[in-house]
Amino acid sequence: MTRTNDIILRTTTTLIAFILLGFSIYLFFAGHNAPGGGFIGGLMTSAAIILMYMAYGIQAMEKILPINFRQIIPVGLIIAAATGIGGMIFNAPFLTQTFAYFQLPILGKTELATALLFDLGVYLAVVGVTMTIILTIANDRG
Amino acid sequence: MDAILDFTQTLIQISATIAVITVAASVIVLLYRAILGPTNPDRAVALDIIGINLMALAGLIAILLVTTRFNDVVLLIGILLFIGTVALAKFLEKGVIIERDLD
């Protein structure tokens, strides 16, 4: 079979993958006061990575993005568990959440909650699980 | 002033309802093509346009319910639709979605 030339797919992928990653980060940070959160943010990130895999193939992507996605799952789980244990250090029950107001340089007065760190753990676990499932199926040589 | 406001509100509701009915009719016509389409590319294109109509329905229902919470959903459907259509097209053309090496 002759080799096809998917230049349109590759050019649109370079543009759309950036929009997808930005949208996923927006969804991740909007989860506190609007629809969104770690789960849908992680799914959008893996959608962007899958789009790049579809356009460029596995070998090129392993060179560009040398991440073993199986190792991201325990990292996310450890972050989520650590935020729960962190509450116990201050004599509060497991998984106690707290928040405070900080004066950040660009954003001004911002509310930072420890629920964001728990969400980060969910995000990493979702990205790891989704990419592991899809790449394991895609690598199956027929 | 209140009369104008009431009139505008009813106008928006009536026109949004008419648009919902029209889009629903076009989804039914597209379902005919998606079920009976002679070839697989016919079904793929029909499913793609059903998704676009779904984006329109989400926007119209956001107007009818007077909320802005559906705007993310519209963008989300568009992104998932693009990725799904690209995957379907690659499968129909090459028989594999994620290749080992392209270069």
mmCIF file of all heavy atoms in Angstrom, chain B residues 10-64:
data_model
loop_
_atom_site.group_PDB
_atom_site.id
_atom_site.type_symbol
_atom_site.label_atom_id
_atom_site.label_comp_id
_atom_site.label_asym_id
_atom_site.label_seq_id
_atom_site.Cartn_x
_atom_site.Cartn_y
_atom_site.Cartn_z
ATOM 1 N N THR B 10 -40.816 36.680 25.309
ATOM 2 C CA THR B 10 -41.655 35.703 24.587
ATOM 3 C C THR B 10 -41.097 35.448 23.199
ATOM 4 O O THR B 10 -41.112 34.305 22.739
ATOM 5 C CB THR B 10 -43.099 36.211 24.455
ATOM 6 O OG1 THR B 10 -43.155 37.555 24.894
ATOM 7 C CG2 THR B 10 -44.041 35.373 25.259
ATOM 8 N N LEU B 11 -40.588 36.521 22.544
ATOM 9 C CA LEU B 11 -40.047 36.345 21.193
ATOM 10 C C LEU B 11 -38.882 35.374 21.207
ATOM 11 O O LEU B 11 -38.813 34.452 20.380
ATOM 12 C CB LEU B 11 -39.619 37.709 20.649
ATOM 13 C CG LEU B 11 -39.420 37.797 19.146
ATOM 14 C CD1 LEU B 11 -40.740 37.606 18.443
ATOM 15 C CD2 LEU B 11 -38.792 39.111 18.778
ATOM 16 N N ILE B 12 -37.966 35.558 22.186
ATOM 17 C CA ILE B 12 -36.799 34.667 22.259
ATOM 18 C C ILE B 12 -37.236 33.234 22.530
ATOM 19 O O ILE B 12 -36.753 32.292 21.899
ATOM 20 C CB ILE B 12 -35.829 35.168 23.355
ATOM 21 C CG1 ILE B 12 -35.093 36.412 22.870
ATOM 22 C CG2 ILE B 12 -34.826 34.095 23.714
ATOM 23 C CD1 ILE B 12 -34.242 37.041 23.918
ATOM 24 N N GLN B 13 -38.198 33.073 23.436
ATOM 25 C CA GLN B 13 -38.642 31.711 23.750
ATOM 26 C C GLN B 13 -39.288 31.041 22.545
ATOM 27 O O GLN B 13 -38.997 29.874 22.238
ATOM 28 C CB GLN B 13 -39.623 31.753 24.908
ATOM 29 C CG GLN B 13 -38.912 31.655 26.248
ATOM 30 C CD GLN B 13 -39.862 31.394 27.371
ATOM 31 O OE1 GLN B 13 -41.073 31.561 27.215
ATOM 32 N NE2 GLN B 13 -39.324 30.994 28.503
ATOM 33 N N ILE B 14 -40.147 31.806 21.831
ATOM 34 C CA ILE B 14 -40.845 31.201 20.687
ATOM 35 C C ILE B 14 -39.850 30.834 19.595
ATOM 36 O O ILE B 14 -39.880 29.725 19.041
ATOM 37 C CB ILE B 14 -41.931 32.167 20.155
ATOM 38 C CG1 ILE B 14 -43.074 32.256 21.155
ATOM 39 C CG2 ILE B 14 -42.450 31.698 18.805
ATOM 40 C CD1 ILE B 14 -44.056 33.349 20.848
ATOM 41 N N SER B 15 -38.900 31.761 19.293
ATOM 42 C CA SER B 15 -37.964 31.474 18.201
ATOM 43 C C SER B 15 -37.030 30.337 18.580
ATOM 44 O O SER B 15 -36.691 29.494 17.728
ATOM 45 C CB SER B 15 -37.183 32.728 17.842
ATOM 46 O OG SER B 15 -36.710 33.345 18.999
ATOM 47 N N ALA B 16 -36.627 30.272 19.869
ATOM 48 C CA ALA B 16 -35.764 29.159 20.281
ATOM 49 C C ALA B 16 -36.508 27.836 20.189
ATOM 50 O O ALA B 16 -35.928 26.818 19.773
ATOM 51 C CB ALA B 16 -35.256 29.392 21.701
ATOM 52 N N THR B 17 -37.800 27.837 20.535
ATOM 53 C CA THR B 17 -38.575 26.595 20.436
ATOM 54 C C THR B 17 -38.692 26.145 18.985
ATOM 55 O O THR B 17 -38.527 24.956 18.672
ATOM 56 C CB THR B 17 -39.970 26.811 21.039
ATOM 57 O OG1 THR B 17 -39.833 27.464 22.288
ATOM 58 C CG2 THR B 17 -40.676 25.483 21.230
ATOM 59 N N ILE B 18 -38.954 27.125 18.088
ATOM 60 C CA ILE B 18 -39.049 26.771 16.663
ATOM 61 C C ILE B 18 -37.720 26.201 16.172
ATOM 62 O O ILE B 18 -37.679 25.196 15.434
ATOM 63 C CB ILE B 18 -39.457 28.014 15.843
ATOM 64 C CG1 ILE B 18 -40.894 28.407 16.172
ATOM 65 C CG2 ILE B 18 -39.318 27.745 14.351
ATOM 66 C CD1 ILE B 18 -41.312 29.715 15.575
ATOM 67 N N ALA B 19 -36.606 26.803 16.615
ATOM 68 C CA ALA B 19 -35.289 26.322 16.179
ATOM 69 C C ALA B 19 -35.030 24.925 16.706
ATOM 70 O O ALA B 19 -34.471 24.077 15.994
ATOM 71 C CB ALA B 19 -34.208 27.285 16.660
ATOM 72 N N VAL B 20 -35.437 24.649 17.972
ATOM 73 C CA VAL B 20 -35.248 23.296 18.531
ATOM 74 C C VAL B 20 -36.008 22.276 17.689
ATOM 75 O O VAL B 20 -35.484 21.199 17.346
ATOM 76 C CB VAL B 20 -35.712 23.253 20.001
ATOM 77 C CG1 VAL B 20 -35.861 21.815 20.458
ATOM 78 C CG2 VAL B 20 -34.712 23.953 20.886
ATOM 79 N N ILE B 21 -37.265 22.630 17.307
ATOM 80 C CA ILE B 21 -38.069 21.688 16.508
ATOM 81 C C ILE B 21 -37.417 21.446 15.148
ATOM 82 O O ILE B 21 -37.327 20.312 14.665
ATOM 83 C CB ILE B 21 -39.505 22.230 16.351
ATOM 84 C CG1 ILE B 21 -40.209 22.205 17.708
ATOM 85 C CG2 ILE B 21 -40.284 21.411 15.346
ATOM 86 C CD1 ILE B 21 -41.490 22.987 17.738
ATOM 87 N N THR B 22 -36.889 22.518 14.526
ATOM 88 C CA THR B 22 -36.248 22.369 13.215
ATOM 89 C C THR B 22 -35.011 21.480 13.304
ATOM 90 O O THR B 22 -34.806 20.587 12.470
ATOM 91 C CB THR B 22 -35.859 23.751 12.672
ATOM 92 O OG1 THR B 22 -36.926 24.658 12.900
ATOM 93 C CG2 THR B 22 -35.561 23.682 11.205
ATOM 94 N N VAL B 23 -34.173 21.741 14.327
ATOM 95 C CA VAL B 23 -32.956 20.935 14.467
ATOM 96 C C VAL B 23 -33.314 19.477 14.743
ATOM 97 O O VAL B 23 -32.681 18.551 14.214
ATOM 98 C CB VAL B 23 -32.060 21.524 15.583
ATOM 99 C CG1 VAL B 23 -30.900 20.608 15.865
ATOM 100 C CG2 VAL B 23 -31.532 22.876 15.179
ATOM 101 N N ALA B 24 -34.368 19.256 15.551
ATOM 102 C CA ALA B 24 -34.782 17.880 15.831
ATOM 103 C C ALA B 24 -35.246 17.187 14.560
ATOM 104 O O ALA B 24 -34.925 16.007 14.333
ATOM 105 C CB ALA B 24 -35.893 17.882 16.879
ATOM 106 N N ALA B 25 -35.963 17.931 13.695
ATOM 107 C CA ALA B 25 -36.398 17.335 12.418
ATOM 108 C C ALA B 25 -35.195 16.963 11.564
ATOM 109 O O ALA B 25 -35.158 15.882 10.948
ATOM 110 C CB ALA B 25 -37.298 18.318 11.668
ATOM 111 N N SER B 26 -34.167 17.816 11.545
ATOM 112 C CA SER B 26 -32.986 17.505 10.734
ATOM 113 C C SER B 26 -32.234 16.312 11.315
ATOM 114 O O SER B 26 -31.646 15.523 10.564
ATOM 115 C CB SER B 26 -32.082 18.726 10.637
ATOM 116 O OG SER B 26 -31.039 18.658 11.552
ATOM 117 N N VAL B 27 -32.264 16.146 12.667
ATOM 118 C CA VAL B 27 -31.621 14.962 13.261
ATOM 119 C C VAL B 27 -32.348 13.696 12.826
ATOM 120 O O VAL B 27 -31.715 12.672 12.522
ATOM 121 C CB VAL B 27 -31.591 15.083 14.798
ATOM 122 C CG1 VAL B 27 -31.221 13.748 15.426
ATOM 123 C CG2 VAL B 27 -30.597 16.122 15.237
ATOM 124 N N ILE B 28 -33.696 13.770 12.731
ATOM 125 C CA ILE B 28 -34.452 12.587 12.301
ATOM 126 C C ILE B 28 -34.101 12.232 10.860
ATOM 127 O O ILE B 28 -33.873 11.068 10.522
ATOM 128 C CB ILE B 28 -35.966 12.850 12.462
ATOM 129 C CG1 ILE B 28 -36.314 12.879 13.950
ATOM 130 C CG2 ILE B 28 -36.780 11.770 11.766
ATOM 131 C CD1 ILE B 28 -37.706 13.339 14.236
ATOM 132 N N VAL B 29 -33.998 13.265 9.986
ATOM 133 C CA VAL B 29 -33.640 12.999 8.592
ATOM 134 C C VAL B 29 -32.242 12.396 8.498
ATOM 135 O O VAL B 29 -31.981 11.486 7.703
ATOM 136 C CB VAL B 29 -33.747 14.302 7.772
ATOM 137 C CG1 VAL B 29 -33.302 14.058 6.354
ATOM 138 C CG2 VAL B 29 -35.165 14.818 7.794
ATOM 139 N N LEU B 30 -31.314 12.898 9.376
ATOM 140 C CA LEU B 30 -29.948 12.365 9.359
ATOM 141 C C LEU B 30 -29.910 10.942 9.896
ATOM 142 O O LEU B 30 -29.083 10.134 9.457
ATOM 143 C CB LEU B 30 -29.037 13.257 10.187
ATOM 144 C CG LEU B 30 -28.580 14.533 9.506
ATOM 145 C CD1 LEU B 30 -28.039 15.488 10.522
ATOM 146 C CD2 LEU B 30 -27.525 14.204 8.494
ATOM 147 N N LEU B 31 -30.800 10.621 10.847
ATOM 148 C CA LEU B 31 -30.853 9.252 11.365
ATOM 149 C C LEU B 31 -31.226 8.280 10.250
ATOM 150 O O LEU B 31 -30.717 7.153 10.216
ATOM 151 C CB LEU B 31 -31.873 9.165 12.498
ATOM 152 C CG LEU B 31 -31.358 9.430 13.904
ATOM 153 C CD1 LEU B 31 -32.494 9.311 14.882
ATOM 154 C CD2 LEU B 31 -30.282 8.433 14.250
ATOM 155 N N TYR B 32 -32.095 8.722 9.344
ATOM 156 C CA TYR B 32 -32.450 7.889 8.189
ATOM 157 C C TYR B 32 -31.198 7.525 7.402
ATOM 158 O O TYR B 32 -30.975 6.361 7.047
ATOM 159 C CB TYR B 32 -33.446 8.669 7.324
ATOM 160 C CG TYR B 32 -33.721 8.059 5.972
ATOM 161 C CD1 TYR B 32 -34.562 6.968 5.844
ATOM 162 C CD2 TYR B 32 -33.136 8.597 4.834
ATOM 163 C CE1 TYR B 32 -34.797 6.407 4.606
ATOM 164 C CE2 TYR B 32 -33.365 8.049 3.599
ATOM 165 C CZ TYR B 32 -34.197 6.952 3.491
ATOM 166 O OH TYR B 32 -34.415 6.409 2.263
ATOM 167 N N ARG B 33 -30.336 8.538 7.155
ATOM 168 C CA ARG B 33 -29.105 8.283 6.408
ATOM 169 C C ARG B 33 -28.133 7.428 7.222
ATOM 170 O O ARG B 33 -27.429 6.573 6.680
ATOM 171 C CB ARG B 33 -28.468 9.621 6.015
ATOM 172 C CG ARG B 33 -27.196 9.543 5.240
ATOM 173 C CD ARG B 33 -27.296 8.698 4.010
ATOM 174 N NE ARG B 33 -28.210 9.232 3.021
ATOM 175 C CZ ARG B 33 -28.769 8.479 2.074
ATOM 176 N NH1 ARG B 33 -28.502 7.196 2.013
ATOM 177 N NH2 ARG B 33 -29.597 9.014 1.228
ATOM 178 N N ALA B 34 -28.099 7.645 8.561
ATOM 179 C CA ALA B 34 -27.151 6.887 9.386
ATOM 180 C C ALA B 34 -27.546 5.422 9.481
ATOM 181 O O ALA B 34 -26.686 4.554 9.617
ATOM 182 C CB ALA B 34 -27.075 7.511 10.777
ATOM 183 N N ILE B 35 -28.860 5.130 9.426
ATOM 184 C CA ILE B 35 -29.291 3.736 9.539
ATOM 185 C C ILE B 35 -29.257 3.049 8.188
ATOM 186 O O ILE B 35 -28.756 1.937 8.053
ATOM 187 C CB ILE B 35 -30.706 3.677 10.162
ATOM 188 C CG1 ILE B 35 -30.655 4.176 11.602
ATOM 189 C CG2 ILE B 35 -31.256 2.261 10.130
ATOM 190 C CD1 ILE B 35 -32.006 4.420 12.197
ATOM 191 N N LEU B 36 -29.762 3.715 7.139
ATOM 192 C CA LEU B 36 -29.920 3.073 5.845
ATOM 193 C C LEU B 36 -28.802 3.384 4.862
ATOM 194 O O LEU B 36 -28.845 2.910 3.736
ATOM 195 C CB LEU B 36 -31.257 3.499 5.208
ATOM 196 C CG LEU B 36 -32.514 2.895 5.834
ATOM 197 C CD1 LEU B 36 -33.736 3.405 5.095
ATOM 198 C CD2 LEU B 36 -32.479 1.385 5.774
ATOM 199 N N GLY B 37 -27.792 4.195 5.294
ATOM 200 C CA GLY B 37 -26.742 4.597 4.358
ATOM 201 C C GLY B 37 -26.102 3.396 3.688
ATOM 202 O O GLY B 37 -25.712 2.450 4.359
ATOM 203 N N PRO B 38 -25.977 3.406 2.359
ATOM 204 C CA PRO B 38 -25.480 2.202 1.680
ATOM 205 C C PRO B 38 -24.046 1.861 2.065
ATOM 206 O O PRO B 38 -23.715 0.702 2.201
ATOM 207 C CB PRO B 38 -25.570 2.564 0.192
ATOM 208 C CG PRO B 38 -26.330 3.832 0.115
ATOM 209 C CD PRO B 38 -26.260 4.501 1.427
ATOM 210 N N THR B 39 -23.181 2.877 2.253
ATOM 211 C CA THR B 39 -21.779 2.594 2.559
ATOM 212 C C THR B 39 -21.432 3.143 3.933
ATOM 213 O O THR B 39 -22.165 3.944 4.512
ATOM 214 C CB THR B 39 -20.857 3.242 1.511
ATOM 215 O OG1 THR B 39 -21.092 4.643 1.530
ATOM 216 C CG2 THR B 39 -21.136 2.716 0.129
ATOM 217 N N ASN B 40 -20.269 2.695 4.454
ATOM 218 C CA ASN B 40 -19.838 3.157 5.777
ATOM 219 C C ASN B 40 -19.472 4.633 5.819
ATOM 220 O O ASN B 40 -19.786 5.298 6.812
ATOM 221 C CB ASN B 40 -18.674 2.303 6.268
ATOM 222 C CG ASN B 40 -19.155 1.016 6.887
ATOM 223 O OD1 ASN B 40 -20.271 0.943 7.388
ATOM 224 N ND2 ASN B 40 -18.319 -0.002 6.857
ATOM 225 N N PRO B 41 -18.809 5.224 4.792
ATOM 226 C CA PRO B 41 -18.567 6.666 4.839
ATOM 227 C C PRO B 41 -19.849 7.486 4.949
ATOM 228 O O PRO B 41 -19.863 8.528 5.614
ATOM 229 C CB PRO B 41 -17.827 6.941 3.528
ATOM 230 C CG PRO B 41 -17.132 5.694 3.243
ATOM 231 C CD PRO B 41 -18.033 4.603 3.707
ATOM 232 N N ASP B 42 -20.950 7.022 4.323
ATOM 233 C CA ASP B 42 -22.233 7.711 4.478
ATOM 234 C C ASP B 42 -22.624 7.806 5.946
ATOM 235 O O ASP B 42 -23.010 8.874 6.443
ATOM 236 C CB ASP B 42 -23.324 6.954 3.722
ATOM 237 C CG ASP B 42 -23.309 7.277 2.255
ATOM 238 O OD1 ASP B 42 -22.837 8.371 1.920
ATOM 239 O OD2 ASP B 42 -23.745 6.440 1.467
ATOM 240 N N ARG B 43 -22.502 6.668 6.642
ATOM 241 C CA ARG B 43 -22.883 6.646 8.066
ATOM 242 C C ARG B 43 -21.961 7.542 8.885
ATOM 243 O O ARG B 43 -22.403 8.220 9.811
ATOM 244 C CB ARG B 43 -22.818 5.221 8.586
ATOM 245 C CG ARG B 43 -23.815 4.308 7.916
ATOM 246 C CD ARG B 43 -23.913 2.986 8.634
ATOM 247 N NE ARG B 43 -24.857 2.131 7.941
ATOM 248 C CZ ARG B 43 -24.515 1.271 6.989
ATOM 249 N NH1 ARG B 43 -23.245 1.146 6.650
ATOM 250 N NH2 ARG B 43 -25.431 0.546 6.399
ATOM 251 N N ALA B 44 -20.644 7.557 8.539
ATOM 252 C CA ALA B 44 -19.695 8.380 9.295
ATOM 253 C C ALA B 44 -20.043 9.859 9.156
ATOM 254 O O ALA B 44 -20.086 10.597 10.149
ATOM 255 C CB ALA B 44 -18.272 8.119 8.800
ATOM 256 N N VAL B 45 -20.338 10.292 7.922
ATOM 257 C CA VAL B 45 -20.671 11.712 7.713
ATOM 258 C C VAL B 45 -21.986 12.045 8.411
ATOM 259 O O VAL B 45 -22.124 13.107 9.039
ATOM 260 C CB VAL B 45 -20.725 12.015 6.204
ATOM 261 C CG1 VAL B 45 -21.227 13.420 5.970
ATOM 262 C CG2 VAL B 45 -19.367 11.846 5.595
ATOM 263 N N ALA B 46 -22.963 11.120 8.356
ATOM 264 C CA ALA B 46 -24.243 11.378 9.016
ATOM 265 C C ALA B 46 -24.060 11.519 10.517
ATOM 266 O O ALA B 46 -24.630 12.427 11.136
ATOM 267 C CB ALA B 46 -25.221 10.252 8.694
ATOM 268 N N LEU B 47 -23.231 10.650 11.107
ATOM 269 C CA LEU B 47 -22.993 10.754 12.556
ATOM 270 C C LEU B 47 -22.284 12.051 12.892
ATOM 271 O O LEU B 47 -22.573 12.678 13.927
ATOM 272 C CB LEU B 47 -22.167 9.562 13.031
ATOM 273 C CG LEU B 47 -22.939 8.259 13.162
ATOM 274 C CD1 LEU B 47 -21.991 7.146 13.566
ATOM 275 C CD2 LEU B 47 -24.016 8.400 14.200
ATOM 276 N N ASP B 48 -21.348 12.491 12.029
ATOM 277 C CA ASP B 48 -20.648 13.756 12.253
ATOM 278 C C ASP B 48 -21.639 14.905 12.301
ATOM 279 O O ASP B 48 -21.607 15.753 13.207
ATOM 280 C CB ASP B 48 -19.639 13.954 11.119
ATOM 281 C CG ASP B 48 -18.662 15.057 11.420
ATOM 282 O OD1 ASP B 48 -18.520 15.367 12.610
ATOM 283 O OD2 ASP B 48 -18.067 15.596 10.488
ATOM 284 N N ILE B 49 -22.597 14.933 11.347
ATOM 285 C CA ILE B 49 -23.520 16.068 11.293
ATOM 286 C C ILE B 49 -24.561 15.955 12.407
ATOM 287 O O ILE B 49 -25.036 16.978 12.906
ATOM 288 C CB ILE B 49 -24.153 16.163 9.887
ATOM 289 C CG1 ILE B 49 -23.018 16.235 8.867
ATOM 290 C CG2 ILE B 49 -24.981 17.401 9.755
ATOM 291 C CD1 ILE B 49 -23.501 16.199 7.470
ATOM 292 N N ILE B 50 -24.896 14.728 12.832
ATOM 293 C CA ILE B 50 -25.777 14.600 14.009
ATOM 294 C C ILE B 50 -25.112 15.248 15.223
ATOM 295 O O ILE B 50 -25.752 15.935 16.025
ATOM 296 C CB ILE B 50 -26.105 13.123 14.275
ATOM 297 C CG1 ILE B 50 -27.136 12.618 13.274
ATOM 298 C CG2 ILE B 50 -26.658 12.923 15.676
ATOM 299 C CD1 ILE B 50 -27.414 11.143 13.384
ATOM 300 N N GLY B 51 -23.779 15.059 15.350
ATOM 301 C CA GLY B 51 -23.067 15.688 16.459
ATOM 302 C C GLY B 51 -23.110 17.203 16.382
ATOM 303 O O GLY B 51 -23.279 17.886 17.398
ATOM 304 N N ILE B 52 -22.982 17.746 15.158
ATOM 305 C CA ILE B 52 -23.035 19.207 15.017
ATOM 306 C C ILE B 52 -24.424 19.713 15.411
ATOM 307 O O ILE B 52 -24.569 20.737 16.091
ATOM 308 C CB ILE B 52 -22.673 19.607 13.573
ATOM 309 C CG1 ILE B 52 -21.212 19.266 13.309
ATOM 310 C CG2 ILE B 52 -22.880 21.088 13.357
ATOM 311 C CD1 ILE B 52 -20.820 19.443 11.870
ATOM 312 N N ASN B 53 -25.475 18.950 15.014
ATOM 313 C CA ASN B 53 -26.825 19.340 15.427
ATOM 314 C C ASN B 53 -26.994 19.265 16.937
ATOM 315 O O ASN B 53 -27.734 20.044 17.532
ATOM 316 C CB ASN B 53 -27.856 18.437 14.744
ATOM 317 C CG ASN B 53 -28.092 18.856 13.316
ATOM 318 O OD1 ASN B 53 -28.096 20.036 13.025
ATOM 319 N ND2 ASN B 53 -28.264 17.899 12.442
ATOM 320 N N LEU B 54 -26.284 18.317 17.555
ATOM 321 C CA LEU B 54 -26.327 18.201 19.016
ATOM 322 C C LEU B 54 -25.725 19.436 19.677
ATOM 323 O O LEU B 54 -26.235 19.913 20.706
ATOM 324 C CB LEU B 54 -25.560 16.960 19.423
ATOM 325 C CG LEU B 54 -26.119 16.127 20.555
ATOM 326 C CD1 LEU B 54 -27.492 15.652 20.194
ATOM 327 C CD2 LEU B 54 -25.205 14.967 20.813
ATOM 328 N N MET B 55 -24.638 19.984 19.062
ATOM 329 C CA MET B 55 -24.071 21.233 19.581
ATOM 330 C C MET B 55 -25.106 22.350 19.519
ATOM 331 O O MET B 55 -25.274 23.116 20.474
ATOM 332 C CB MET B 55 -22.843 21.639 18.754
ATOM 333 C CG MET B 55 -21.618 20.821 18.995
ATOM 334 S SD MET B 55 -20.370 21.125 17.751
ATOM 335 C CE MET B 55 -19.846 22.757 18.189
ATOM 336 N N ALA B 56 -25.828 22.428 18.378
ATOM 337 C CA ALA B 56 -26.856 23.461 18.231
ATOM 338 C C ALA B 56 -27.952 23.278 19.274
ATOM 339 O O ALA B 56 -28.424 24.253 19.879
ATOM 340 C CB ALA B 56 -27.448 23.407 16.826
ATOM 341 N N LEU B 57 -28.341 22.013 19.525
ATOM 342 C CA LEU B 57 -29.392 21.759 20.518
ATOM 343 C C LEU B 57 -28.942 22.183 21.909
ATOM 344 O O LEU B 57 -29.730 22.762 22.675
ATOM 345 C CB LEU B 57 -29.746 20.269 20.527
ATOM 346 C CG LEU B 57 -30.826 19.814 19.558
ATOM 347 C CD1 LEU B 57 -31.068 18.340 19.738
ATOM 348 C CD2 LEU B 57 -32.105 20.569 19.839
ATOM 349 N N ALA B 58 -27.668 21.903 22.257
ATOM 350 C CA ALA B 58 -27.173 22.301 23.574
ATOM 351 C C ALA B 58 -27.210 23.820 23.726
ATOM 352 O O ALA B 58 -27.624 24.339 24.777
ATOM 353 C CB ALA B 58 -25.756 21.765 23.782
ATOM 354 N N GLY B 59 -26.803 24.535 22.659
ATOM 355 C CA GLY B 59 -26.844 25.996 22.732
ATOM 356 C C GLY B 59 -28.260 26.520 22.861
ATOM 357 O O GLY B 59 -28.535 27.426 23.659
ATOM 358 N N LEU B 60 -29.195 25.929 22.089
ATOM 359 C CA LEU B 60 -30.588 26.404 22.147
ATOM 360 C C LEU B 60 -31.213 26.100 23.502
ATOM 361 O O LEU B 60 -31.989 26.914 24.041
ATOM 362 C CB LEU B 60 -31.398 25.744 21.031
ATOM 363 C CG LEU B 60 -31.093 26.269 19.636
ATOM 364 C CD1 LEU B 60 -31.700 25.369 18.596
ATOM 365 C CD2 LEU B 60 -31.637 27.671 19.492
ATOM 366 N N ILE B 61 -30.876 24.957 24.083
ATOM 367 C CA ILE B 61 -31.449 24.626 25.391
ATOM 368 C C ILE B 61 -30.855 25.520 26.470
ATOM 369 O O ILE B 61 -31.532 25.876 27.437
ATOM 370 C CB ILE B 61 -31.266 23.131 25.667
ATOM 371 C CG1 ILE B 61 -32.268 22.375 24.792
ATOM 372 C CG2 ILE B 61 -31.501 22.771 27.114
ATOM 373 C CD1 ILE B 61 -32.184 20.909 24.851
ATOM 374 N N ALA B 62 -29.573 25.927 26.293
ATOM 375 C CA ALA B 62 -29.005 26.913 27.214
ATOM 376 C C ALA B 62 -29.780 28.227 27.140
ATOM 377 O O ALA B 62 -29.982 28.898 28.151
ATOM 378 C CB ALA B 62 -27.535 27.147 26.893
ATOM 379 N N ILE B 63 -30.251 28.598 25.914
ATOM 380 C CA ILE B 63 -31.065 29.822 25.791
ATOM 381 C C ILE B 63 -32.407 29.628 26.489
ATOM 382 O O ILE B 63 -32.883 30.495 27.229
ATOM 383 C CB ILE B 63 -31.265 30.178 24.307
ATOM 384 C CG1 ILE B 63 -29.941 30.614 23.692
ATOM 385 C CG2 ILE B 63 -32.293 31.291 24.143
ATOM 386 C CD1 ILE B 63 -30.020 30.805 22.211
ATOM 387 N N LEU B 64 -33.016 28.459 26.284
ATOM 388 C CA LEU B 64 -34.353 28.230 26.852
ATOM 389 C C LEU B 64 -34.313 28.164 28.371
ATOM 390 O O LEU B 64 -35.250 28.608 29.039
ATOM 391 C CB LEU B 64 -34.942 26.929 26.294
ATOM 392 C CG LEU B 64 -35.559 27.023 24.906
ATOM 393 C CD1 LEU B 64 -36.051 25.666 24.473
ATOM 394 C CD2 LEU B 64 -36.715 28.005 24.920
#
